[in-house]
Amino acid sequence: MEAHLENPRGLVPISLILDDSCPVLNLTRPWIRDCWDIAPPHRGQTPRVPWQELPEEIPADFARAFADWAGKEGVKGKFSVVPMPAGLGRIDQSLPGVPASRLEEWLSIIRDRIHPSFDLTPEMITHTFAVDLGTWRMLPRMEQYDWTPDRTAEELTEYQATALTLLRNVGIAAEGVTSPGGYAHGGLDAYAQATLDSSLAVNGLGVTFFFKEVESVPVPPRVHLSRPERGQAAVSVIACTDDWFGNWTGWDLGSPDLCITEDLQAGRLVEWIRAGQPAIICSHWPGYYFHDGSGRGFDVCKEVVRRLNRLDGVLWMRTSEIARYWAAREVAAVTCGPDGVALASTIACPAFTFRLTGAPDLPLWSGDEPLGRLSPAEDLRPGTVQRRNDGLWVCADLQEGDARLTFSESRPAEWGGTRRQQG
């Protein structure tokens, strides 16, 4: 008997990432302004669009409508919350020109209506100029261009811990962090260490993630830092699309066909799903609202999701759930013996799924309880098995430590494994 690790529940994860989001303010407006008017060395990375025509704010009703839609359609993913947008003000204190009641209304929507389906992360502190943590003054260097390359892991840890703390001050325990643009392009090893150490220090998270990378060729999430002896890991979740909705500028309307065509046969997401790799969509909150406040970028996203929800074999997941699953795959071990399977892991993981070839046609027990046997037409879920042409599929909640599953006609006796296969 041999074990083969599979995707959660035997399905391909899909997830929606929203960057450049923050309460009330439209972050694109000050970002383009700062690049062109204050930091001219970075004009080459920023299109010359009339930032003065961009809306200054994105209303709470738009965020509320997004949250209601996502909940109805089952969409899950990641939503950034920039804690000091463009250096204008800390969201745990005040934003200039924004009444406290309006700021709290926005934060309540994020906490109560968006967070149930989306991980919340800082996109570092300002998303524009770096901050002197001693004085809270802006530095003449931008977070994503010229500030991070010469930062040590310890300096990045302090900076990211500050971003996480500002969110925690408003009741948001972030599950990971998001890179503002090219943040930490000096090296992913230091970034991974800083992400894990800051997440541990502020929110007690031993498994966390960061979003920075976008790839066009299917690849799995990358476990950049693993401390299996402590059950800790930092995972890079990798998007497979550019922003093909309203772009980060809010000026460039995209096409759903780039993600998935109406006949469900082509598009970047389809390529990744066919390859069995998590299909993670990259998009930007100001692009959803669009430069004229029409919400046309959001309309493109709605069409992409409508098409995705017609596909079989996919599973909406939060990015933290995807990260935890791939971290568990990195450290988990499966031991196949003559009478069953032993599991060992330092990281717990819901719906951990593996396939057994050469397994006997007997009930599979977890302790005193037999796992449910599903018909081929049913969906795998934790605590069930399913016989398919390519083997016996097993889905179980993986616990930290050791566990045992035993084949037996009746309640099994003690069993010891004989062969170990690393996951």
Side-chain angles (χ1 to χ4, degrees), residues 199-349:
S199 294
L200 274 168
V202 178
N203 292 317
L205 294 179
V207 179
T208 187
F209 73 92
F210 57 91
F211 171 55
K212 175 180 175 65
E213 300 176 276
V214 178
E215 297 277 3
S216 59
V217 178
V219 294
R222 297 186 177 107
V223 182
H224 275 278
L225 176 66
S226 178
R227 299 168 181 162
E229 72 283 359
R230 306 182 202 175
Q232 298 174 0
V235 181
S236 172
V237 294
I238 301 172
C240 66
T241 74
D242 290 329
D243 188 322
W244 295 323
F245 304 93
N247 205 353
W248 68 268
T249 65
W251 284 87
D252 306 304
L253 191 64
S255 167
D257 290 348
L258 293 170
C259 292
I260 179 171
T261 54
E262 175 63 40
D263 62 6
L264 314 183
Q265 298 304 305
R268 182 68 58 77
L269 295 174
V270 176
E271 294 170 9
W272 282 56
I273 291 167
R274 285 175 176 165
Q277 298 298 348
I280 299 176
I281 305 161
C282 178
S283 62
H284 294 80
W285 184 241
Y288 279 26
Y289 193 54
F290 217 58
H291 70 88
D292 55 3
S294 65
R296 284 190 286 169
F298 185 23
D299 290 340
V300 177
C301 179
K302 289 178 181 178
E303 178 60 22
V304 169
V305 168
R306 185 187 71 81
R307 296 176 186 182
L308 282 172
N309 283 347
R310 291 164 51 204
L311 283 176
D312 294 325
V314 296
L315 177 67
W316 284 104
M317 296 180 71
R318 294 161 66 131
T319 46
S320 64
E321 294 170 333
I322 295 173
R324 175 170 288 274
Y325 197 91
W326 260 259
R329 285 182 63 142
E330 181 87 1
V331 304
V334 179
T335 304
C336 294
D339 301 318
V341 176
L343 305 176
S345 179
T346 55
I347 294 175
C349 179

Side-chain angles (χ1 to χ4, degrees), residues 9-11 353 355-356 375-376 378-380 386-393:
R9 297 177 55 192
L11 305 172
T353 303
R355 175 172 52 91
L356 297 174
S375 71
E378 295 179 276
D379 292 331
L380 270 176
Q386 187 176 60
R387 180 73 63 174
R388 301 181 185 177
N389 292 336
D390 56 355
L392 184 70
W393 289 67

Side-chain angles (χ1 to χ4, degrees), residues 138-180:
M138 299 301 105
L139 298 169
R141 304 172 73 184
M142 304 197 83
E143 286 182 341
Q144 75 176 60
Y145 291 135
D146 47 12
W147 181 75
T148 56
D150 54 354
R151 300 300 106 188
T152 65
E154 290 73 21
E155 289 172 313
L156 290 175
T157 298
E158 181 185 16
Y159 200 80
Q160 292 173 205
T162 301
L164 292 167
T165 299
L166 296 185
L167 294 190
R168 193 168 184 86
N169 289 347
V170 295
I172 295 172
E175 287 85 0
V177 301
T178 297
S179 305

